[in-house]
């Protein structure tokens, strides 16, 4: 067992992946000498050399495009996008090349690469540093999309993503990087990467979240318990492919569902979950599926971002509304 932050867990997971496979290389802006702006790759260039931990020019399209070529030649590149809002110059490469080459080549070409993206808000950053673009990648066939929410998952999931033969967009909740520590059993067998997990059991209503809002929902469940309500919390972990079997099972017991994410509500991941749950669990629902997310505006200046982000009160308000039906 080791006690570490989410950032340290990612660092340890990347280190283990590089030790296990000499074809794993890390690329990105300032990932080498500096160790990344969030220090996720701290010390890796010193230990593995600048041929495997590569400081790149400030050119996201070039970084991802180069990684595509490396993946086609048998390497397993791990690309760091410094901030979520910086991914858009590489969007063409990701959507038109990374996601399609395996299909276009009728399975002859694999693209085993990971695109790491710190996502979400809550760190008081300036414009383009607090986006939640996950729905744009979930909507793209050919990409796997995962989101860790705690150090134990971060350690295991980053290794699983690196070893996957498909391209993975790996979302990291940046406001949780250094916020809390947790025990990580580095010897324990990891849960399958593509599975959701019930992280708190309950019987009155179901909360579904991923990434940074999992901790928000757990806090909401704690407060609700003091008021006599038992909330079940499910961490999706993977957004594409979605594993909704635990969600269906939970909703059939509770009859109520609230989906929480930082991204805009309109056409967000929550909309897909609401549609599928309505199709599969219609006769079990006691209330409409409700969504709590960011407002349909550009991400606001740091001084008012707390009004934008889903918080305890907004989640509990949605729970109260489900019991109003």
């Amino acid at each position: 067992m080791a006690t570490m932050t989410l950032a340290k867990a990612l660092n340890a997971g990347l280190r283990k992946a590089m030790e296990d496979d000499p074809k794993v290389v890390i690329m990105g802006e300032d990932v080498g000498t500096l160790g990344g702006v969030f220090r996720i790759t701290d010390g890796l260039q010193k230990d593995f050399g600048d041929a495997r931990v590569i400081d790149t020019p400030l050119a996201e399209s070039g970084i991802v495009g180069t990684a595509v070529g490396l993946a086609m030649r048998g390497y397993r590149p791990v690309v760091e996008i410094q901030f979520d809002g910086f991914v858009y110059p590489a969007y063409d490469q990701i959507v038109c090349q990374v996601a399609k080459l395996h299909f276009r080549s009728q399975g002859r070409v694999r693209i085993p690469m990971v695109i790491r993206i710190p996502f979400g808000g809550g760190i008081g950053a300036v414009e383009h540093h607090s986006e939640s673009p996950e729905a744009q990648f979930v909507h793209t066939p050919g990409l796997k999309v995962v989101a860790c929410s705690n150090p134990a998952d971060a350690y295991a999931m980053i290794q699983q993503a690196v070893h996957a033969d498909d391209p993975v967009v790996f979302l990291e909740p940046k406001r949780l990087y250094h916020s809390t520590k947790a025990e990580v059993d580095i010897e324990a067998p990891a849960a399958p990467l593509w599975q959701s997990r019930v992280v708190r059991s309950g019987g009155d209503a179901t909360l579904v979240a991923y990434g940074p809002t999992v901790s928000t929902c757990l806090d909401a469940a704690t407060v609700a318990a003091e008021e006599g309500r038992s909330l079940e919390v499910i961490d999706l972990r993977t957004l594409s492919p979605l594993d909704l079997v635990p969600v269906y099972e939970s909703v059939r017991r509770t009859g109520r569902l609230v989906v929480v994410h930082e991204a805009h509500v309109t056409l967000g991941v929550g909309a897909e979950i609401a549609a599928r749950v309505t199709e599969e669990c219609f006769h079990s629902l006691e209330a409409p599926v409700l969504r709590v997310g960011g407002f349909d505006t550009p991400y606001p200046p740091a001084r008012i971002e707390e009004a934008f982000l889903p918080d305890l009160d907004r989640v509990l308000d949605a729970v109260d509304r489900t019991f109003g039906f």
Side-chain angles (χ1 to χ4, degrees):
M1 300 290 287
T3 301
M4 58 184 75
T5 62
L6 191 142
K8 288 294 185 183
L10 287 168
N11 179 277
L14 287 169
R15 179 179 295 277
K16 183 68 165 60
M18 296 186 76
E19 290 172 347
D20 290 346
D21 188 346
K23 291 293 188 179
V24 176
V25 296
I26 294 175
M27 305 168 56
E29 299 162 5
D30 298 319
V31 297
T33 304
L34 182 66
V37 292
F38 294 105
R39 304 300 186 267
I40 307 303
T41 54
D42 189 38
L44 297 182
Q45 189 181 72
K46 176 176 68 70
D47 294 337
F48 294 97
D50 58 10
R52 293 189 65 194
V53 183
I54 305 164
D55 281 318
T56 66
L58 306 183
E60 285 76 15
S61 181
I63 297 168
V64 174
T66 301
V68 170
L70 285 167
M72 293 176 71
R73 294 301 297 263
Y75 289 88
R76 292 184 178 271
V78 180
V79 170
E80 178 180 297
I81 302 297
Q82 201 168 69
F83 283 90
D84 34 32
F86 297 178
V87 74
Y88 297 110
Y91 189 72
D92 175 69
Q93 293 278 14
I94 296 170
V95 172
C96 295
Q97 306 299 331
V98 175
K100 292 182 171 60
L101 277 167
H102 183 64
F103 184 85
R104 185 188 302 149
S105 65
Q106 297 182 324
R108 288 189 292 271
V109 176
R110 288 194 175 275
I111 306 295
M113 63 182 290
V114 177
I115 302 170
R116 294 180 41 243
I117 306 177
F119 84 120
I123 64 167
V126 296
E127 190 177 18
H128 306 308
H129 289 66
S130 300
E131 307 291 322
S132 295
E134 58 267 25
Q136 299 176 59
F137 299 114
V138 172
H139 188 67
T140 303
L143 297 176
K144 299 293 201 305
V145 183
V146 304
C148 58
S149 68
N150 60 78
D153 267 357
Y155 175 77
M157 290 169 70
I158 190 63
Q159 294 179 67
Q160 292 168 318
V162 171
H163 295 315
D165 286 331
D166 294 311
V168 178
V169 175
F170 195 93
L171 301 170
E172 303 166 6
K174 66 172 80 78
R175 66 179 160 114
L176 301 184
Y177 272 148
H178 306 285
S179 61
T180 57
K181 292 184 178 181
E183 287 191 342
V184 177
D185 187 350
I186 59 177
E187 302 297 333
L193 183 60
W194 320 117
Q195 288 186 5
S196 302
R197 179 191 296 141
V198 176
V199 292
R200 178 171 177 142
S201 298
D204 293 335
T206 305
L207 301 180
V208 170
Y210 57 87
T213 55
V214 173
S215 59
T216 305
C217 288
L218 288 170
D219 290 342
T222 299
V223 173
E226 298 171 358
E227 300 172 351
R229 282 182 179 157
S230 173
L231 304 183
E232 184 147 292
V233 181
I234 298 176
D235 182 354
L236 288 177
R237 301 176 75 247
T238 294
L239 307 183
S240 179
L242 275 170
D243 172 28
L244 294 183
V245 172
V247 179
Y248 299 153
E249 293 173 349
S250 179
V251 170
R252 289 183 183 122
R253 286 186 293 101
T254 67
R256 305 175 193 278
L257 174 62
V258 176
V259 187
V260 184
H261 54 61
E262 285 191 15
H264 310 299
V265 169
T266 300
L267 295 180
V269 173
E272 179 66 22
I273 295 170
R276 292 201 198 180
V277 168
T278 300
E279 291 173 359
E280 294 291 330
C281 307
F282 180 77
H283 294 291
S284 299
L285 287 169
E286 300 290 341
V289 178
L290 299 183
R291 294 169 290 159
V292 180
F295 300 111
D296 289 333
T297 68
Y299 198 87
R303 66 181 180 276
I304 58 171
E305 69 176 348
E306 292 304 321
F308 177 89
L309 295 172
D311 60 8
L312 192 73
D313 289 338
R314 287 176 60 194
V315 173
L316 290 174
D317 176 69
V319 171
D320 288 340
R321 284 189 285 128
T322 67
F323 287 92
F325 288 91

